Short mmCIF file of all heavy atoms in Angstrom, two decimals:
data_model
loop_
_atom_site.label_atom_id
_atom_site.label_comp_id
_atom_site.label_asym_id
_atom_site.label_seq_id
_atom_site.Cartn_x
_atom_site.Cartn_y
_atom_site.Cartn_z
N GLU A 9 66.27 -8.84 150.29
CA GLU A 9 67.15 -10.00 150.10
C GLU A 9 68.18 -9.72 149.01
O GLU A 9 69.36 -10.06 149.15
CB GLU A 9 66.31 -11.22 149.75
CG GLU A 9 67.14 -12.51 149.61
CD GLU A 9 66.26 -13.70 149.26
OE1 GLU A 9 65.06 -13.49 148.97
OE2 GLU A 9 66.78 -14.83 149.27
N ILE A 10 67.75 -9.08 147.94
CA ILE A 10 68.67 -8.76 146.83
C ILE A 10 69.75 -7.78 147.29
O ILE A 10 70.93 -7.93 147.00
CB ILE A 10 67.88 -8.19 145.63
CG1 ILE A 10 67.02 -9.28 145.00
CG2 ILE A 10 68.84 -7.59 144.60
CD1 ILE A 10 66.12 -8.79 143.91
N ASN A 11 69.31 -6.76 148.03
CA ASN A 11 70.27 -5.76 148.52
C ASN A 11 71.30 -6.39 149.46
O ASN A 11 72.48 -6.06 149.42
CB ASN A 11 69.54 -4.63 149.23
CG ASN A 11 68.75 -3.76 148.27
OD1 ASN A 11 69.07 -3.70 147.09
ND2 ASN A 11 67.73 -3.09 148.77
N GLU A 12 70.83 -7.27 150.34
CA GLU A 12 71.75 -7.93 151.27
C GLU A 12 72.74 -8.82 150.52
O GLU A 12 73.93 -8.85 150.83
CB GLU A 12 70.94 -8.77 152.26
CG GLU A 12 71.80 -9.52 153.28
CD GLU A 12 72.58 -8.59 154.20
OE1 GLU A 12 72.22 -7.39 154.28
OE2 GLU A 12 73.53 -9.06 154.83
N ARG A 13 72.23 -9.49 149.50
CA ARG A 13 73.10 -10.34 148.70
C ARG A 13 74.13 -9.51 147.95
O ARG A 13 75.31 -9.86 147.86
CB ARG A 13 72.27 -11.17 147.73
CG ARG A 13 73.10 -12.17 146.93
CD ARG A 13 72.23 -12.96 145.99
NE ARG A 13 73.02 -13.92 145.23
CZ ARG A 13 72.53 -14.69 144.26
NH1 ARG A 13 71.24 -14.60 143.96
NH2 ARG A 13 73.32 -15.52 143.60
N HIS A 14 73.67 -8.40 147.44
CA HIS A 14 74.57 -7.49 146.73
C HIS A 14 75.68 -7.00 147.65
O HIS A 14 76.85 -6.94 147.27
CB HIS A 14 73.76 -6.30 146.19
CG HIS A 14 74.56 -5.42 145.28
ND1 HIS A 14 74.09 -4.21 144.81
CD2 HIS A 14 75.80 -5.56 144.75
CE1 HIS A 14 75.00 -3.66 144.04
NE2 HIS A 14 76.05 -4.46 143.99
N ARG A 15 75.30 -6.65 148.89
CA ARG A 15 76.29 -6.16 149.85
C ARG A 15 77.32 -7.24 150.18
O ARG A 15 78.52 -6.98 150.22
CB ARG A 15 75.59 -5.71 151.13
CG ARG A 15 76.52 -5.09 152.17
CD ARG A 15 75.77 -4.73 153.44
NE ARG A 15 75.27 -5.92 154.11
CZ ARG A 15 76.04 -6.70 154.89
NH1 ARG A 15 77.32 -6.39 155.09
NH2 ARG A 15 75.53 -7.75 155.48
N LEU A 16 76.85 -8.47 150.39
CA LEU A 16 77.76 -9.56 150.73
C LEU A 16 78.71 -9.85 149.57
O LEU A 16 79.91 -10.10 149.78
CB LEU A 16 76.95 -10.82 151.08
CG LEU A 16 76.15 -10.75 152.39
CD1 LEU A 16 75.28 -12.00 152.54
CD2 LEU A 16 77.09 -10.61 153.59
N LEU A 17 78.18 -9.83 148.36
CA LEU A 17 79.04 -10.09 147.20
C LEU A 17 80.10 -9.00 147.05
O LEU A 17 81.25 -9.27 146.73
CB LEU A 17 78.17 -10.16 145.93
CG LEU A 17 77.35 -11.43 145.75
CD1 LEU A 17 76.40 -11.29 144.57
CD2 LEU A 17 78.26 -12.64 145.55
N THR A 18 79.69 -7.76 147.31
CA THR A 18 80.65 -6.65 147.23
C THR A 18 81.76 -6.81 148.25
O THR A 18 82.94 -6.59 147.96
CB THR A 18 79.93 -5.31 147.45
OG1 THR A 18 78.91 -5.16 146.47
CG2 THR A 18 80.91 -4.15 147.33
N GLU A 19 81.38 -7.20 149.48
CA GLU A 19 82.38 -7.40 150.52
C GLU A 19 83.32 -8.54 150.17
O GLU A 19 84.53 -8.47 150.41
CB GLU A 19 81.68 -7.67 151.85
CG GLU A 19 80.94 -6.45 152.41
CD GLU A 19 80.22 -6.77 153.70
OE1 GLU A 19 80.18 -7.97 154.08
OE2 GLU A 19 79.69 -5.83 154.33
N LEU A 20 82.78 -9.61 149.60
CA LEU A 20 83.61 -10.74 149.20
C LEU A 20 84.57 -10.35 148.09
O LEU A 20 85.74 -10.77 148.08
CB LEU A 20 82.72 -11.92 148.76
CG LEU A 20 81.96 -12.64 149.87
CD1 LEU A 20 81.00 -13.66 149.27
CD2 LEU A 20 82.95 -13.34 150.82
N GLU A 21 84.09 -9.55 147.13
CA GLU A 21 84.95 -9.10 146.04
C GLU A 21 86.07 -8.21 146.56
O GLU A 21 87.22 -8.30 146.12
CB GLU A 21 84.12 -8.35 145.00
CG GLU A 21 83.20 -9.25 144.20
CD GLU A 21 82.30 -8.47 143.26
OE1 GLU A 21 82.43 -7.23 143.24
OE2 GLU A 21 81.49 -9.07 142.56
N LEU A 22 85.75 -7.36 147.55
CA LEU A 22 86.76 -6.51 148.13
C LEU A 22 87.81 -7.33 148.85
O LEU A 22 89.01 -7.10 148.72
CB LEU A 22 86.11 -5.52 149.10
CG LEU A 22 87.07 -4.58 149.86
CD1 LEU A 22 87.89 -3.75 148.89
CD2 LEU A 22 86.30 -3.69 150.81
N LEU A 23 87.35 -8.32 149.62
CA LEU A 23 88.28 -9.19 150.34
C LEU A 23 89.15 -9.96 149.36
O LEU A 23 90.36 -10.11 149.57
CB LEU A 23 87.49 -10.16 151.23
CG LEU A 23 88.34 -11.16 152.05
CD1 LEU A 23 89.27 -10.40 152.99
CD2 LEU A 23 87.44 -12.10 152.82
N GLU A 24 88.56 -10.45 148.28
CA GLU A 24 89.32 -11.19 147.28
C GLU A 24 90.39 -10.30 146.64
O GLU A 24 91.51 -10.73 146.39
CB GLU A 24 88.38 -11.71 146.20
CG GLU A 24 89.08 -12.52 145.12
CD GLU A 24 88.11 -13.02 144.07
OE1 GLU A 24 86.91 -12.70 144.18
OE2 GLU A 24 88.54 -13.70 143.13
N THR A 25 90.03 -9.03 146.41
CA THR A 25 90.98 -8.10 145.83
C THR A 25 92.16 -7.86 146.76
O THR A 25 93.32 -7.81 146.35
CB THR A 25 90.29 -6.76 145.52
OG1 THR A 25 89.23 -7.00 144.59
CG2 THR A 25 91.28 -5.77 144.90
N LEU A 26 91.86 -7.70 148.06
CA LEU A 26 92.91 -7.44 149.03
C LEU A 26 93.85 -8.62 149.19
O LEU A 26 95.04 -8.45 149.48
CB LEU A 26 92.29 -7.09 150.40
CG LEU A 26 91.51 -5.77 150.46
CD1 LEU A 26 90.82 -5.63 151.81
CD2 LEU A 26 92.43 -4.59 150.20
N LEU A 27 93.30 -9.82 149.04
CA LEU A 27 94.11 -11.03 149.21
C LEU A 27 94.72 -11.52 147.92
O LEU A 27 95.46 -12.51 147.91
CB LEU A 27 93.24 -12.15 149.82
CG LEU A 27 92.67 -11.86 151.22
CD1 LEU A 27 91.78 -13.02 151.66
CD2 LEU A 27 93.79 -11.64 152.23
N ALA A 28 94.43 -10.85 146.82
CA ALA A 28 94.90 -11.30 145.51
C ALA A 28 96.41 -11.19 145.43
O ALA A 28 97.05 -10.44 146.14
CB ALA A 28 94.24 -10.48 144.41
N SER A 29 96.97 -11.93 144.50
CA SER A 29 98.42 -11.88 144.28
C SER A 29 98.83 -10.49 143.84
O SER A 29 98.09 -9.78 143.18
CB SER A 29 98.81 -12.90 143.20
OG SER A 29 100.14 -12.71 142.80
N GLU A 30 100.05 -10.10 144.21
CA GLU A 30 100.56 -8.79 143.85
C GLU A 30 100.70 -8.63 142.35
O GLU A 30 100.79 -7.52 141.83
CB GLU A 30 101.92 -8.54 144.52
CG GLU A 30 101.82 -8.44 146.04
CD GLU A 30 103.16 -8.13 146.66
OE1 GLU A 30 104.15 -8.05 145.89
OE2 GLU A 30 103.23 -7.97 147.89
N THR A 31 100.76 -9.78 141.65
CA THR A 31 100.91 -9.71 140.19
C THR A 31 99.59 -9.38 139.51
O THR A 31 99.58 -9.01 138.34
CB THR A 31 101.44 -11.04 139.65
OG1 THR A 31 100.53 -12.10 140.01
CG2 THR A 31 102.80 -11.35 140.25
N ALA A 32 98.48 -9.50 140.24
CA ALA A 32 97.17 -9.19 139.65
C ALA A 32 96.95 -7.69 139.73
O ALA A 32 96.81 -7.13 140.81
CB ALA A 32 96.06 -9.94 140.39
N THR A 33 96.92 -7.04 138.60
CA THR A 33 96.79 -5.58 138.57
C THR A 33 95.58 -5.16 137.77
O THR A 33 95.15 -5.85 136.85
CB THR A 33 98.05 -4.94 137.95
OG1 THR A 33 98.23 -5.47 136.63
CG2 THR A 33 99.28 -5.24 138.80
N TYR A 34 95.05 -4.01 138.14
CA TYR A 34 93.92 -3.43 137.42
C TYR A 34 94.45 -2.66 136.21
O TYR A 34 95.40 -1.88 136.34
CB TYR A 34 93.16 -2.48 138.35
CG TYR A 34 91.93 -1.85 137.72
CD1 TYR A 34 90.71 -2.51 137.73
CD2 TYR A 34 92.02 -0.60 137.11
CE1 TYR A 34 89.59 -1.94 137.16
CE2 TYR A 34 90.90 -0.03 136.53
CZ TYR A 34 89.69 -0.70 136.55
OH TYR A 34 88.59 -0.12 135.98
#
Side-chain angles (χ1 to χ4, degrees):
E9 183 180 9
I10 291 174
N11 290 336
E12 180 64 18
R13 184 180 181 185
H14 188 188
R15 184 183 66 80
L16 291 174
L17 285 172
T18 301
E19 292 178 353
L20 288 174
E21 289 175 1
L22 177 59
L23 180 61
E24 181 180 1
T25 300
L26 293 173
L27 297 177
S29 169
E30 293 183 357
T31 59
T33 58
Y34 182 86

